[in-house]
Amino acid sequence: MVSGEFVSQSELYAAVPDFTPEPYAWGTYAANPDVHFFLCAFVDMDEATLPDPQKFARGLARLHTTTTSPTGKYGFHVATLQGLAPQFVDWTDTWEEFFSRSLQRLVENEEKAQGPDPAMQHLVEGTLNKVIPRLLRPLETGGRKIRPCLVHSDLWDGNVATELDTDKPVIFDSACIYAHNEYELAPLRPVRHRMRREYIEAYMREVPPSEPGEDYDDRNALYCLSRLAALDFSFATVIWHEYAATMSSLSTPQKAPATEPVPYSTFTSSLKKLLAPILTITMFASPLTATIYLPLLPRLAIKYHTSLQAINLTITLYVICQAISPLVFSTSSDTLGRRPILLLTYTLFTVASLGLAINKHSFTALLLLRGLQSLGASAVLAVAYGVIADVCPPAERGTMQGFAVGGANLATCLGPVIGGWVALESGNSAWIFWGLVIFGGGVILLVGTALPETARSVVGNGSVEVASWQRPWWSLLRERRTQCGKVKRSKEGGEAVIRKGMTWVFKMGNPWTCLRILFWKDTALVLWMSSAPYAVWYCIQTSISLTYKITYGFNELDTGLTYLPGATGVIIGAYLNGKLMDRNYRITATSIGHSIDKVSGDNIDNFPIEQARAKGSYHLLTVYSCALAAYGWVVSFHVHQSVPLILQFVLGMLCTSFQQTFSALLVDIFPSNPSTAAAAGNIVKCVLSAVAVAVLLPLQEAFGIGWVFAILTALSGGGGFAAAIAMRKKGMEWRRARIAKPESISGHTDGDGKSAV
């Protein structure tokens, strides 16, 4: 009993830490094995005062809309108790089956204790054979789908209180299972409880009833009946007789009428087309800030009276902060929303750029401000991947991602050219940073004005209306809304209630949620495939300035122009690879007889997404390894400059293709936490890049550039082949094993690909 409550509270706290006390431990007294203990955080609360219905409903809605079963089934991974009665927790495929077997278990236990009762047997038989199929089967037939989410399952007023300091609701004494979200509302129906209909109504304003909506009240009565049976079977018998009248009015089970499937996203095609260029511009920050700086390295060493190796430390710190930034910000965007995180990070970026523009002589200030600039710029990519996952099902992500990533990499073309031109014409790096200040301010205006909130934890599939402060500024100006929570008349003539704005407090996402992604076998393969080519490309970009200035005698502007072939390859590779990703998905689906659901999105639990994304990687890795090894030796032997420039184009295409494809796969296998998954990928990419850049110059001086790139070829190319082989053969098996573990963060989608109830 104690262990079940500890696991239940742990699951609740992981999902909604501000809604339940943090559990610490449970165990057994050494001196008395019959006495057990459970420890959790102390919360000073008032059990006599009921919580505010709307605050309670918002917390409960967050629990239900942000959690999903690790197996995709109904049940729980440890035994839990409803009162003194053990709950049925076996994993089952459908909600109808789970609820029926749960009720059967209660009846069997009662008969063992009290003996059979013919009248009760008649009522139970009618309920199992008639009522349950009639009320629960339509939830998952006729195109309808529900998702097993985490429920407390014993939320009556004895297990709910109000925190004295904050006036927030607190829930405790849980007996969790993964169930239909409406099952949670059963304790709120009996008139003997103080928390009753007003709490149900408040919840329904947050999460509408499942379809068919006209059956909601009968479903609630059925769930209530089951709960009463678990707590007091004799009392439930009386209620059962009263409920028997309902049975006579219910028809025999039928196939539910066909309805339109719930779309994966309600964002229109035109709005998605608008989102793509907005994301492209927001993603400019990191590549533009990194590459515009590279042609300035020799001049910066002179300006700040330091060595080139010391200036290279600013690149290393920049890359380290690239790893930290998503850990701080991107994970939070999965729960707080995309808009506030983008606005916050771009504000940091703009302030840091302003400091760099003002700084005249301090190398320490240069170092620290570049780190702050990186913190502001580097979370954007992971947040953008989250936006794409919010609005595009897996089968369509490649095209939008290819457009956004390819367009964003235009910055890798512009950055070096602008940096080289400024270095040649004026030599004043301040002009570069003033330009970034203007760019940052413009993006803040663009995001604030035009980018809608897309995070599925906030807006679901886009159908949930949000508070005014979470909406684009243009819509506020257009509608002249001055108060959150205002009721407006819908187009159909009814009333639609818009939720009141929540009190928003910035809270960094749990770093372990992101970091533990690194240690699963299936994700480790994906991370290597996306990160090693990225680190290699960073080494190429970092070495270009010295390579063409010293080896080929180019000036600053010419050196800046040498970045163009590689950057062009990056743009073309990103666009073409996006199309290729969607094509590979279709080919894989056809090969296994899978019909792609373009409306609701595919459930990839039983789809070999690893094979779809890795298709063709052997051929690409062969070309990549040959080009990478050749690049080092042609520079080492001073071959005509056209040859390394062509190889830069090829490597730019291939490095981007690998990074884009396997970053998308990382998001695919963590659909409920896309930005968190992208942040994990960013950590590995940046750590590898920081290490590679830090040792690049010393190794090059010791062994020569030819041997340095030969080593990189062995590590990234050889490791890539090993990872691709293992991924295609074992990736799906390891993914399923990870999802089945209760400590895994959600990597499961519901049948329609949604993370909302």
Side-chain angles (χ1 to χ4, degrees):
M1 182 176 185
V2 174
S3 63
E5 179 163 357
F6 176 77
V7 174
S8 293
Q9 285 295 127
S10 299
E11 295 265 335
L12 288 177
Y13 185 77
V16 282
D18 58 342
F19 199 41
T20 193
E22 180 179 6
Y24 292 147
W26 77 277
T28 301
Y29 279 84
N32 188 346
D34 293 326
V35 179
H36 312 282
F37 65 86
F38 167 69
L39 298 177
C40 69
F42 173 77
V43 177
D44 192 8
M45 56 190 181
D46 178 8
E47 295 185 72
T49 302
L50 294 179
D52 176 76
Q54 205 60 48
K55 290 181 180 179
F56 173 80
R58 288 187 189 127
L60 197 58
R62 278 191 295 116
L63 171 64
H64 295 163
T65 57
T66 60
T67 58
T68 191
S69 167
T71 65
K73 300 181 179 182
Y74 300 90
F76 205 58
H77 48 278
V78 299
T80 56
L81 280 76
Q82 187 74 261
L84 297 177
Q87 290 198 114
F88 176 79
V89 295
D90 294 355
W91 295 112
T92 56
D93 292 320
T94 69
W95 175 237
E96 178 188 346
E97 179 190 4
F98 179 87
F99 188 82
S100 296
R101 293 176 64 183
S102 176
L103 188 59
Q104 283 179 309
R105 176 74 59 84
L106 290 172
V107 173
E108 290 168 1
N109 291 339
E110 177 67 13
E111 288 185 344
K112 289 178 183 178
Q114 305 294 339
D117 181 332
M120 177 58 66
Q121 288 176 339
H122 171 72
L123 292 170
V124 170
E125 182 180 347
T127 302
L128 292 173
N129 296 332
K130 189 174 182 181
V131 178
I132 291 177
R134 167 59 184 83
L135 292 178
L136 303 190
R137 188 171 301 170
L139 291 168
E140 297 177 286
T141 57
R144 302 182 185 90
K145 296 175 183 177
I146 58 173
R147 176 178 54 82
C149 64
L150 187 67
V151 300
H152 178 287
S153 89
D154 195 16
L155 275 182
W156 66 293
D157 46 80
N159 293 335
V160 179
T162 302
E163 188 174 352
L164 288 175
D165 291 339
T166 63
D167 200 34
K168 294 191 303 184
V170 182
I171 62 175
F172 48 90
D173 197 12
S174 58
C176 287
I177 55 174
Y178 286 96
H180 181 206
N181 67 300
E182 292 178 7
Y183 182 72
E184 190 84 278
L185 307 180
L188 306 180
R189 187 181 184 95
V191 294
R192 65 191 180 96
H193 290 164
R194 294 187 299 149
M195 293 176 63
R196 294 196 293 271
R197 300 296 299 188
E198 65 271 23
Y199 288 86
I200 296 178
E201 292 167 0
Y203 179 84
M204 289 303 165
R205 289 194 288 270
E206 302 291 326
V207 182
S210 301
E211 292 296 332
E214 61 270 19
D215 289 344
Y216 162 73
D217 193 62
D218 286 330
R219 289 195 300 264
N220 182 252
L222 178 64
Y223 296 158
C224 179
L225 183 66
S226 172
R227 183 178 182 279
L228 291 173
L231 298 177
D232 187 343
F233 213 96
S234 61
F235 178 70
T237 303
V238 178
I239 304 299
W240 217 315
H241 281 283
E242 295 177 358
Y243 188 64
T246 304
M247 293 166 47
S248 62
S249 65
L250 294 173
S251 60
T252 55
Q254 319 175 8
K255 183 178 180 180
T259 60
E260 290 294 324
V262 177
Y264 180 87
S265 172
T266 60
F267 290 98
T268 63
S269 297
S270 58
L271 184 54
K272 291 179 185 178
K273 291 178 182 178
L274 175 64
L275 284 176
I278 293 176
L279 292 179
T280 298
I281 295 171
T282 61
M283 292 164 69
F284 263 44
S286 187
L288 181 64
T289 307
T291 58
I292 203 171
Y293 186 79
L294 296 176
L296 301 173
L297 297 181
R299 288 192 176 270
L300 288 172
I302 297 171
K303 177 178 179 179
Y304 291 102
H305 309 290
T306 189
S307 67
L308 194 59
Q309 183 66 25
I311 291 295
N312 274 352
L313 288 177
T314 64
I315 299 177
T316 301
L317 180 63
Y318 187 93
V319 176
I320 291 172
C321 290
Q322 274 188 313
I324 296 173
S325 179
L327 187 64
V328 177
F329 297 113
S330 300
T331 51
S332 300
S333 78
D334 279 333
T335 53
L336 298 177
R338 314 297 181 199
R339 275 175 52 82
I341 298 302
L342 284 174
L343 291 171
L344 176 62
T345 54
Y346 256 100
T347 299
L348 287 177
F349 168 79
T350 305
V351 170
S353 299
L354 179 61
L356 288 165
I358 296 172
N359 178 42
K360 300 296 184 183
H361 305 295
S362 173
F363 173 73
T364 301
L366 173 70
L367 189 67
L368 296 178
L369 287 170
R370 277 291 285 178
L372 182 61
Q373 193 181 45
S374 177
L375 285 175
S378 303
V380 175
L381 182 62
V383 177
Y385 274 114
V387 173
I388 294 171
D390 292 336
V391 302
C392 294
E396 300 174 1
R397 283 176 193 162
T399 300
M400 186 172 184
Q401 192 179 48
F403 180 89
V405 174
N409 278 297
L410 180 63
T412 62
C413 291
L414 298 176
V417 175
I418 295 172
W421 178 77
V422 170
L424 180 65
E425 293 298 319
S426 68
N428 186 358
S429 60
W431 288 108
I432 295 293
F433 299 125
W434 279 116
L436 293 177
V437 171
I438 296 171
F439 169 75
V443 173
I444 290 173
L445 183 62
L446 175 65
V447 170
T449 302
L451 182 69
E453 182 56 70
T454 65
R456 298 179 76 84
S457 61
V458 178
V459 299
N461 67 349
S463 59
V464 179
E465 294 198 58
V466 294
S468 296
W469 66 269
Q470 294 172 295
R471 303 177 65 190
W473 299 335
W474 69 266
S475 67
L476 298 181
L477 292 173
R478 185 185 64 183
E479 298 184 13
R480 299 184 182 277
R481 290 175 53 143
T482 58
Q483 182 179 0
C484 298
K486 185 178 179 182
V487 177
K488 69 175 185 179
R489 185 69 56 180
S490 70
K491 292 181 180 179
E492 293 77 18
E495 287 189 344
V497 179
I498 301 173
R499 296 189 299 182
K500 293 183 178 180
M502 294 181 293
T503 301
W504 188 82
V505 179
F506 175 74
K507 183 177 182 180
M508 188 184 79
N510 183 357
W512 177 241
T513 303
C514 177
L515 293 174
R516 63 181 168 179
I517 292 177
L518 310 180
F519 301 104
W520 297 103
K521 288 187 289 186
D522 63 320
T523 54
L525 299 175
V526 180
L527 289 167
W528 177 260
M529 290 296 292
S530 68
S531 303
Y534 180 90
V536 166
W537 184 244
Y538 221 102
C539 287
I540 293 173
Q541 293 286 90
T542 303
S543 67
I544 283 176
S545 181
L546 287 179
T547 295
Y548 289 94
K549 188 174 181 63
I550 296 175
T551 305
Y552 294 103
F554 284 16
N555 62 31
E556 284 86 351
L557 179 57
D558 290 339
T559 300
L561 292 172
T562 61
Y563 287 87
L564 288 177
T568 304
V570 167
I571 294 172
I572 294 174
Y575 179 77
L576 295 179
N577 188 65
K579 299 290 187 181
L580 182 63
M581 285 169 59
D582 288 349
R583 179 177 179 273
N584 287 341
Y585 190 101
R586 292 192 297 271
I587 292 174
T588 304
T590 301
S591 68
I592 63 173
H594 173 80
S595 179
I596 297 175
D597 187 347
K598 294 184 177 181
V599 177
S600 299
D602 291 325
N603 178 0
I604 66 167
D605 290 354
N606 299 310
F607 183 83
I609 189 67
E610 293 84 0
Q611 293 185 27
R613 297 303 189 208
K615 187 175 180 62
S617 56
Y618 298 154
H619 304 297
L620 295 179
L621 280 167
T622 300
V623 178
Y624 165 78
S625 299
C626 294
L628 183 59
Y631 178 79
W633 292 115
V634 299
V635 173
S636 179
F637 288 107
H638 297 193
V639 177
H640 189 270
Q641 58 261 33
S642 63
V643 178
L645 290 173
I646 292 171
L647 290 173
Q648 284 171 219
F649 173 82
V650 174
L651 288 168
M653 286 186 65
L654 294 174
C655 288
T656 297
S657 296
F658 290 126
Q659 190 268 331
Q660 179 184 350
T661 297
F662 293 101
S663 293
L665 177 56
L666 192 62
V667 170
D668 290 333
I669 60 178
F670 289 95
S672 297
N673 309 86
S675 286
T676 300
N682 200 75
I683 290 171
V684 178
K685 286 189 296 185
C686 293
V687 168
L688 285 180
S689 300
V691 172
V693 169
V695 303
L696 178 64
L697 190 58
L699 287 177
Q700 189 172 328
E701 291 174 349
F703 302 107
I705 192 171
W707 284 110
V708 169
F709 279 90
I711 294 171
L712 289 175
T713 301
L715 291 174
S716 64
F721 273 109
I725 292 170
M727 189 185 307
R728 290 180 65 88
K729 290 186 175 181
K730 292 286 189 178
M732 187 173 178
E733 176 186 334
W734 288 343
R735 168 163 55 97
R736 285 174 167 173
R738 167 177 57 80
I739 291 172
K741 294 179 180 291
E743 67 270 22
S744 168
I745 75 168
S746 173
H748 165 77
T749 60
D750 56 332
D752 56 5
K754 304 187 299 297
S755 61
V757 174

